[in-house]
Amino acid sequence: MSDARPQGLSGVGIGAGTPGASAYPARPFVPISLHALVALVVAENLVLRGFVDMCVAVCALLFCAAVPLAVCVVARLARGRWEAGLLAALACVLVSGLVGCLVSGVVLARVDAAGEALASTPVSALGLTVTGDASETSTDWLSEAEATLPDGSRASVWLSGSEHLEFGERVEGVGRFSPNADDDWGRSSRARGISGRIRLVRVTDRGTRPGPLDALMAMRRWVVGRIGPEGSEARALMAGVIASDRTELKAQGTEDAFAATGLSHLVAVSGSHLVVVGAGLEALLLALGAGPRVRALGVLGISGAYVVFCACPTSAVRSWVMLAASLAGRLFGRRAHAPSGMALTGLAMCLVDPTCACDLGFQLSALSVCALALFSSHAEATLSLLEPRLNPRLHGRAARVWARARRAWAATRSTLAASLVCQVATMPACAATFGSVSLVAPFANVVVGPIFAPVVSLGALGCAFGWVPFVGDAMLLAVEALCAVAVGITRLLATVPYARVPVALNVAWELAPLALASLLLLAWPTPPRGALLAGAGLSVALAASAVVGVFALVPARVVVLDVGQGDAILVRDGPRSVLVDTGPDASVASALARQRTLSLDAVVITHLHDDHYGGLDDLVGLVRVGTVLVAEGVSDALPPELEETVRALTGGPPRELSAGDRIVVGGFGLTSLWPTEPVDGSENEHSLCLLVEYGRAVAGRAESGAGLRALLTGDAEGEVMRDVAPRAGDVDVLKVGHHGSAVSIFAEEAAELDPEVSVASAGEGNSYGHPRPECVEVLEGAGSWFLCTKDVGDVTLEPAASGVRVRL
């Protein structure tokens, strides 16, 4: 191979379909600064997220440094020369890691000190400045803000309240400060440099100071008002893309469709938007005869104002800093090298603000830029070699049409390769954060992605020239038409079966792209076309076998899922399954991913308490659901938002179960024992109680010898259990009612049920003290093995020839 480093693919080798390894580009150059950035980001994440203590991390890095340094010394003694490149790389990595640990420790100390100061200061004495757009939750509005204490020190906080506060507003009020709790949200907030939450009970003063920022925000409000995002989904998308106002996108559910298809990055104002805006500005300045420096400064200034106009979203600020770095390099005559520029910019950003390293947007941007620069040409070459070899003998007009088609496909192939590279690079981080993966994302990006460049450019021009009669309106109408097309395609792709699937990955998987990239760079495989085709076929076969084995050939089981302070029980036999209750929140989606469940024949809601149905809306677009079942009479009492969620999941209203009704799921039969008359689902005693039977208790399955009888009780307690226990009789498993409250079951009912295993579902550190000692004492006194999800996680119960098999 030649020493030259080609920047792209050879048009002759790829375009003509020449097989073999010669079609591949040379191995790209990886700068030392990129290694240093990786070490810095990893170290800051470890410390800020609380995985390791700062002192422990520093000692570990110093210890790890001894081995490679010893190797270098041995090499010096054996060969008489220093391994200069290796030493330089090691030094940069170690220094970056050590610095990352130290600055992260300083940040955490400041965050904790600010939290203590805020806890001892009345909220009414604080000056609050909103530093981001507010998002609407189920109960109030939530935004990020900067709190100024009486001594002049500042701290970042979450600000919540009933009033919608806009970016840049300065607020005073009465409320209460709560420090970060020791949970996932609290640890995540602390890693971002946020000291806690201020809940505003009453706003006493709000306003803005006259200045450039206030003028930009007034212009933004005018633009959003002119668009009218409440008018349609297309207009809501316009407001999100042009002005970064996604309030109506969320309210109309359009943002969920973009998330399901892997297109969320197109909605958020980020690097791609700045590229479009910057290119348009540079073209305009070039037409006006501006020199290189004037063009660079003009693009930098106007694009910076655009970022502020969009309320300074983190992704846009970060992209603007990277744009500034690239423009500075051009001013000084430096040749652009994307990984080097990104690495140097990332190092500066993470050193100035270490919490940036924990920001998902920063991680995704860094991974995407580096992956595109290092691997997109290799991916495009691989796709080219996998294409069928078609060389028809055409002449005249037919030949010209064929040539245009090949050029169009080459452009599409390039876009597809870039999309695939970005998806592979960012998928572990997204999956670990959101608990799902979009399978249609590569195709969606190829189809919908090109629409957004004209949307951004025409939208910006339409807003800038809105004062010109007809011109601005015509541009905005064109943008609305394009947005309508984008929304329509996205909605269609979101309905594709398994467009998005749940996955269960922890944060350790975020290092997977780094390991994969290292292997690829070391090996830089250049296999011939035959080997690629054989490998692709084998991969498809293995993937199909894995899907069948992992998702379909699952043995019969009942799993009490760990969803915190709530209930969720999965009854499954192979591909058939039913979920009884959905827990309080999105944790049910992660639980289903752990159990490799992609579809549900039915979801049963035992009663209308939010810790039993709160996670239902998180299943929309993620898990296929056949029907939703409730107790007799409950369908007329459903809250409007729950009824809307049920229709979004199943396309229709819920079905009702009466006492004695039976549903069959694979080899399981579920019989409703309670309630015996219509209820409205508002009370614990309205809970559906289901007797689950398998094997020896179900006709036609006795030959297997394995069986299981389980009683699922929702929040039913003592008085209801007196009626239910005789109906159920002897059971192998009891799902303890009401999370194991003091009166969930009495000794007489426990003796009548005689469960071998009793399982309570409760959250760690819950304020109710569930499960209560009285409940545990009664059940253990009846000879039952008592388990709780807060202690052991998911509890899997499988039919056995005698009794029940328990897996923890």
Side-chain angles (χ1 to χ4, degrees):
M1 184 179 290
S2 151
D3 291 337
R5 296 181 181 274
Q7 297 300 310
L9 299 175
S10 167
V12 176
I14 295 303
T18 303
S22 62
Y24 283 91
R27 181 185 286 107
F29 170 70
V30 181
I32 292 178
S33 56
L34 186 56
H35 297 290
L37 176 62
V38 171
L40 182 66
V41 170
V42 171
E44 290 180 340
N45 271 272
L46 289 174
V47 175
L48 290 174
R49 294 190 184 190
F51 294 124
V52 295
D53 183 77
M54 180 190 69
C55 295
V56 174
V58 170
C59 293
L61 281 171
L62 292 174
F63 176 78
C64 293
V67 176
L69 288 175
V71 171
C72 291
V73 172
V74 171
R76 162 67 173 163
L77 295 175
R79 294 192 290 253
R81 63 184 178 85
W82 286 101
E83 298 291 339
L86 179 59
L87 279 175
L90 286 173
C92 285
V93 168
L94 289 172
V95 170
S96 293
L98 290 171
V99 171
C101 293
L102 293 173
V103 296
S104 299
V106 172
V107 167
L108 288 182
R110 289 178 178 174
V111 170
D112 293 340
E116 293 176 1
L118 288 168
S120 60
T121 304
V123 171
S124 57
L126 301 175
L128 302 170
T129 303
V130 181
T131 56
D133 274 339
S135 58
E136 190 175 11
T137 68
S138 58
T139 56
D140 52 23
W141 292 90
L142 180 68
S143 57
E144 195 171 341
E146 183 180 74
T148 303
L149 284 83
D151 62 359
S153 60
R154 298 178 179 180
S156 293
V157 295
W158 292 115
L159 188 62
S160 63
S162 58
E163 296 189 36
H164 178 239
L165 302 176
E166 296 186 356
F167 172 73
E169 278 198 275
R170 290 167 174 81
V171 184
E172 294 180 1
V174 179
R176 183 176 68 254
F177 170 77
S178 302
N180 293 321
D182 188 20
D183 54 18
D184 290 341
W185 175 260
R187 287 187 288 269
S188 173
S189 298
R190 186 169 179 255
R192 291 181 56 180
I194 296 174
S195 300
R197 175 185 292 208
I198 292 177
R199 169 79 170 118
L200 282 179
V201 178
R202 181 166 55 90
V203 175
T204 57
D205 185 38
R206 58 185 293 186
T208 58
R209 295 178 184 173
L213 179 61
D214 187 35
L216 279 172
M217 290 302 98
M219 184 187 301
R220 183 181 186 230
R221 289 191 292 271
W222 177 81
V223 168
V224 173
R226 193 163 183 270
I227 292 173
E230 65 282 351
S232 66
E233 286 188 306
R235 288 183 172 271
L237 181 59
M238 288 171 62
V241 172
I242 298 170
S244 190
D245 186 321
R246 293 183 288 170
T247 304
E248 283 299 320
L249 268 178
K250 295 177 181 178
Q252 298 178 24
T254 314
E255 196 170 54
D256 294 334
F258 278 86
T261 52
L263 298 173
S264 295
H265 64 285
L266 295 178
V267 179
V269 174
S270 58
S272 59
H273 294 67
L274 289 185
V275 167
V276 174
V277 172
L281 288 171
E282 186 155 12
L284 177 62
L285 292 172
L286 183 62
L288 294 175
R293 293 190 176 183
V294 174
R295 291 202 306 270
L297 293 174
V299 169
L300 191 61
I302 298 176
S303 60
Y306 175 67
V307 170
V308 177
F309 168 78
C310 292
C312 292
T314 305
S315 58
V317 173
R318 182 172 48 252
S319 300
W320 183 83
V321 172
M322 292 183 179
L323 175 65
S326 66
L327 290 174
R330 193 201 308 175
L331 288 175
F332 291 103
R334 301 288 297 176
R335 187 178 62 180
H337 184 251
S340 298
M342 189 281 303
L344 293 174
T345 306
L347 282 169
M349 294 173 67
C350 291
L351 288 173
V352 172
D353 180 14
T355 62
C356 180
C358 295
D359 181 68
L360 178 64
F362 172 81
Q363 296 172 10
L364 298 183
S365 295
L367 288 169
S368 298
V369 170
C370 288
L372 284 172
L374 297 177
F375 302 111
S376 62
S377 57
H378 192 285
E380 187 177 352
T382 302
L383 290 178
S384 175
L385 291 178
L386 289 173
E387 294 171 9
R389 301 307 180 189
L390 300 176
N391 292 293
R393 297 180 180 276
L394 302 174
H395 302 282
R397 184 176 181 181
R400 291 192 295 272
V401 171
W402 175 253
R404 293 193 193 100
R406 292 195 61 177
R407 286 194 295 270
W409 166 245
T412 303
R413 181 182 61 212
S414 178
T415 304
L416 179 60
S419 177
L420 286 172
V421 165
C422 287
Q423 292 295 318
V424 172
T426 59
M427 184 181 67
C430 290
T433 303
F434 302 115
S436 65
V437 170
S438 174
L439 300 183
V440 301
F443 179 75
N445 277 274
V446 171
V447 176
V448 181
I451 298 175
F452 278 78
V455 165
V456 174
S457 55
L458 285 177
L461 289 173
C463 294
F465 293 97
W467 53 273
V468 180
F470 304 111
V471 174
D473 290 334
M475 289 182 176
L476 289 181
L477 284 174
V479 172
E480 183 177 3
L482 291 171
C483 287
V485 172
V487 170
I489 296 175
T490 302
R491 285 286 191 188
L492 180 63
L493 292 175
T495 62
V496 173
Y498 307 116
R500 183 169 58 128
V501 297
V503 294
L505 300 178
N506 55 37
V507 292
W509 279 93
E510 294 184 27
L511 298 176
L514 302 179
L516 178 61
S518 300
L519 290 174
L520 284 175
L521 287 170
L522 286 173
W524 202 248
T526 56
R529 183 168 185 266
L532 276 175
L533 292 173
L538 180 61
S539 299
V540 171
L542 291 175
S545 301
V547 168
V548 172
V550 172
F551 293 100
L553 302 179
V554 178
R557 57 182 54 183
V558 175
V559 187
V560 183
L561 302 172
D562 180 14
V563 292
Q565 187 64 18
D567 269 15
I569 302 96
L570 179 67
V571 180
R572 184 172 183 184
D573 185 13
R576 299 297 182 185
S577 57
V578 61
L579 181 66
V580 181
D581 287 330
T582 62
D585 50 36
S587 56
V588 68
S590 300
L592 290 176
R594 291 195 299 270
Q595 299 301 322
R596 303 181 297 278
T597 302
L598 296 179
S599 65
L600 297 165
D601 294 88
V603 172
V604 180
I605 303 299
T606 58
H607 63 299
L608 299 182
H609 286 176
D610 57 7
D611 59 331
H612 291 255
Y613 75 81
L616 190 66
D617 60 342
D618 293 287
L619 302 183
V620 177
L622 188 63
V623 177
R624 300 185 70 188
V625 177
T627 187
V628 173
L629 303 170
V630 296
E632 183 181 6
V634 171
S635 59
D636 295 329
L638 291 180
E641 64 275 7
L642 179 56
E643 186 173 3
E644 183 179 345
T645 299
V646 171
R647 290 186 178 276
L649 271 174
T650 65
R655 291 171 48 198
E656 294 188 343
L657 286 176
S658 302
D661 286 351
R662 183 182 183 86
I663 58 176
V664 177
V665 180
F668 283 101
L670 289 79
T671 304
S672 174
L673 303 182
W674 184 271
T676 56
E677 58 185 24
V679 295
D680 63 14
S682 62
E683 304 293 339
N684 287 341
E685 55 265 27
H686 295 174
S687 295
L688 271 169
C689 295
L690 301 171
L691 180 64
V692 181
E693 300 171 291
Y694 180 89
R696 58 176 179 268
V698 179
R701 298 301 296 268
E703 69 277 2
S704 66
L708 176 67
R709 299 185 87 242
L711 179 62
L712 311 181
T713 58
D715 272 351
E717 295 179 300
E719 295 300 323
V720 172
M721 295 302 297
R722 285 196 176 96
D723 191 284
V724 171
R727 298 167 185 263
D730 187 6
V731 297
D732 301 305
V733 177
L734 170 66
K735 202 295 295 180
V736 182
H738 201 193
H739 318 291
S741 69
V743 294
S744 59
I745 192 167
F746 299 123
E748 183 179 349
E749 288 73 43
E752 190 162 10
L753 292 170
D754 192 24
E756 293 182 35
V757 182
S758 300
V759 185
S761 180
E764 184 178 359
N766 68 84
S767 59
Y768 309 99
H770 293 158
R772 299 290 299 175
E774 299 91 328
C775 170
V776 178
E777 183 179 349
V778 166
L779 289 167
E780 289 184 341
S784 183
W785 181 19
F786 187 90
L787 299 168
C788 184
T789 56
K790 75 180 181 68
D791 300 317
V792 298
D794 295 347
V795 180
T796 301
L797 308 148
E798 299 177 347
S802 59
V804 59
R805 184 183 299 110
V806 180
R807 299 185 186 275
L808 303 176

